[in-house]
Amino acid sequence: MHSLATSVRALTFDVFGTVVDWRRSVIAEGQALGARTGLQADWAALADAWRKGYFASMAKVARGELAWDTIDALHRQVLDHLLPRFGLQSLGEADRAHFNTVWHRLAPWPDTVDGLTRLKQRLTITTLSNGNLSLLVAMAKHGGLPWDAVLTAELFGRFKPDPAVYLGAARLLGLAPEQVLMVAAHPFDLVAAQKVGLKTAYIPRPEEYGPGGPMEAVGDAVFDIVATDLVDLARQLGA
């Protein structure tokens, strides 16, 4: 660990699920929307379906079935498709547009700001998310996330786990891949980063999909660091 702590110069972070609690945030805004409009829905199921649709949309882009677009645009396409299923087809345009930007206002996990602040004392910390730049900047403002930089797949016109995203981040940081530590709660993201030479830190978030919800299997993957949360990650890196 001492060797890793001295060789790593920057940390790149997955955001949705790793840094912020997207599910509780979407449910809370859905409940507030329902209270304001009088519309009722299973907001937890909607949040899960919206997240599932997000992954499906990115997969279509990767296969060439959809043109590349921002996550804001893809989120809106998924939302409009889901609203009739949840009895929300009467929702007006202003409410749809505002609800779609709930992803700009996601709440950090309780350990996030403290952990990032500690890590920032000795390392460069940046996002490396599929979220678009405007989304990530708004989220940082909303949640008090102290990033040194905001890097996004949007800069490369690809989505993770495309290798170009991880290598592009290292290049923009002026670092060799092995000097960059990718931090994520999702093994697929870390495995992809690992394949192109980045170091990896796994932060399990067992409540990402709610208490008792599913977690992506780690399988036989081995990561450089496994930490309980971002404060523990800072401790392990001597920050």
Side-chain angles (χ1 to χ4, degrees), residues 12-214:
T12 54
F13 286 80
D14 172 62
V15 175
F16 299 111
T18 302
V19 172
V20 294
D21 183 354
W22 60 266
R23 189 174 189 270
R24 283 190 180 91
S25 301
V26 173
I27 292 170
E29 284 222 16
Q31 291 169 338
L33 175 64
R36 188 173 71 252
T37 61
L39 296 172
Q40 299 302 314
D42 185 340
W43 299 109
L46 174 57
D48 291 339
W50 203 354
R51 181 68 169 164
K52 183 178 180 180
Y54 155 86
F55 282 113
S57 294
M58 288 193 300
K60 288 181 180 179
V61 172
R63 293 193 300 266
E65 297 171 14
L66 277 179
W68 193 94
D69 211 336
T70 66
I71 291 301
D72 274 342
L74 296 180
H75 272 153
R76 179 58 192 268
Q77 292 172 25
V78 176
L79 177 63
D80 286 341
H81 177 73
L82 289 175
L83 290 178
R85 185 198 305 180
F86 289 91
L88 299 169
Q89 61 272 17
S90 64
L91 199 65
E93 171 57 28
D95 284 324
R96 291 183 185 215
H98 181 73
F99 190 37
N100 192 59
T101 60
V102 63
W103 302 93
H104 296 212
R105 299 182 294 276
L106 304 181
W109 292 106
D111 58 277
T112 291
V113 174
D114 187 13
L116 291 179
T117 300
R118 295 185 190 195
L119 288 162
K120 182 174 176 156
Q121 292 174 7
R122 62 174 301 268
L123 294 160
T124 296
I125 60 169
T126 175
T127 62
L128 188 56
S129 171
N130 286 329
N132 42 283
L133 185 65
S134 59
L135 180 159
L136 295 170
V137 169
M139 185 195 298
K141 286 283 191 183
H142 176 79
L145 307 176
W147 304 119
D148 290 308
V150 177
L151 299 183
T152 161
E154 183 181 18
L155 296 171
F156 313 108
R158 313 280 183 88
F159 289 125
K160 295 185 300 178
D162 191 297
V165 178
Y166 308 100
L167 292 173
R171 176 177 53 81
L172 289 177
L173 290 167
L175 299 172
E178 62 269 19
Q179 294 177 299
V180 179
L181 180 72
M182 182 71 203
V183 184
H186 310 115
F188 85 90
D189 200 356
L190 297 175
V191 169
Q194 204 170 50
K195 285 180 179 178
V196 294
L198 275 67
K199 301 300 183 183
T200 53
Y202 178 47
I203 315 293
R205 294 295 192 185
E207 294 200 357
E208 179 179 0
Y209 285 89

Side-chain angles (χ1 to χ4, degrees), residues 1-9 122-123 178-179 236-238:
M1 189 60 65
H2 176 71
S3 174
L4 185 63
T6 56
S7 63
V8 165
R9 300 276 301 282
R122 62 174 301 268
L123 294 160
E178 62 269 19
Q179 294 177 299
Q236 291 194 44
L237 288 172

